[in-house]
Amino acid sequence: MAIAAFTLTSCSGSGEKASGSAATSNQQQGATGKSNEFVGANFTMTYPEILVKETYKSDNTINATNKDGDVKMDATFGEMPCKPEDFGKYSDNLKIVNKDYTPQAPKIDGNIMTMKFVKDDKAQTQFSVFIDEKAGVAGKFEYPLSKAEQVEELIMPMLKSIKKK
C-alpha cells in the first residue's frame, strides 16, 4: 500500500508536509452515534463511523476511508493555521489548486471554513479549522455526488470535535 503525506495549502498558497510517528485510535460512542477517535500529538478529533479503515496515520495526520473506498477523509495539523480573517484568501487559493473542479461559495462558521468542489459525479469538501495562532487543522472529504447528503451531514460535527492537546 502506498502512503502519501498530505500537503496543506496555506493561506499564502505554500505547502506544509505532514510527518510523524503512529498515533492511537479508539472506537467510542459519540453524541450522535458511533464514531472513531483520533488522538495525535497535537490534536484530537472524532471522525464518522462510516470511515472504517485508516489508510495513513501519524502524530499530526489521519487519513481514513469507508469500506467501499469511495468516501475518503484526510486531516492534518499545522502550526501555521489559516486565520478566519484570511479565509477569503484561502478559498481563492483552493480554487487555483482545484481548478478542474467547480467551486461553491465557502461556508464560514466562526473558526471553521468549508468549501465544496464538484467535478462530474465526484465532490470534495475542503476544510480549515483555526484553533489558535499556532494550531489549526486542514484537510478534505472526497465522495461521490450520490452520497453527498449522507457525507456532508457528518463533516461539521467532525470539525467541531477538533481540539488542541
Side-chain angles (χ1 to χ4, degrees):
M1 178 188 317
I3 298 176
F6 173 67
T7 302
L8 293 176
T9 301
S10 71
C11 291
S12 64
S14 63
E16 177 181 315
K17 297 249 184 210
S19 63
S21 62
T24 63
S25 176
N26 298 317
Q27 191 81 349
Q28 74 172 23
Q29 182 72 24
T32 58
K34 291 184 181 180
S35 56
N36 301 304
E37 185 178 26
F38 169 73
V39 180
N42 297 299
F43 79 103
T44 63
M45 176 180 76
T46 302
Y47 63 95
E49 176 185 37
I50 65 164
L51 301 173
V52 296
K53 181 179 179 186
E54 293 175 351
T55 56
Y56 178 78
K57 184 170 54 171
S58 72
D59 282 347
N60 295 318
T61 301
I62 178 72
N63 296 353
T65 187
N66 67 341
K67 67 179 179 163
D68 298 329
D70 62 350
V71 177
K72 300 173 186 171
M73 179 275 301
D74 56 64
T76 300
F77 177 86
E79 292 180 348
M80 297 185 311
C82 189
K83 298 175 184 170
E85 60 265 24
D86 293 327
F87 282 162
K89 191 184 323 179
Y90 183 71
S91 66
D92 290 343
N93 287 333
L94 288 175
K95 289 176 192 174
I96 294 168
V97 171
N98 296 290
K99 65 181 182 240
D100 295 335
Y101 287 76
T102 302
Q104 294 183 358
K107 294 180 183 176
I108 298 172
D109 182 351
N111 65 330
I112 299 170
M113 186 197 84
T114 59
M115 190 168 183
K116 183 177 178 179
F117 294 85
V118 177
K119 179 181 178 185
D120 303 324
D121 63 345
K122 297 177 186 168
Q124 61 176 271
T125 298
Q126 301 269 346
F127 61 83
S128 180
V129 179
F130 177 80
I131 300 172
D132 66 27
E133 295 295 322
K134 294 209 176 252
V137 176
K140 69 182 171 195
F141 269 82
E142 295 179 292
Y143 47 95
L145 276 176
S146 62
K147 293 184 178 180
E149 187 175 334
Q150 173 193 11
V151 172
E152 290 169 4
E153 70 182 16
L154 302 173
I155 295 173
M156 192 56 73
M158 182 191 89
L159 299 179
K160 288 184 175 187
S161 79
I162 294 173
K163 304 286 183 247
K164 184 177 177 183
K165 277 184 73 182

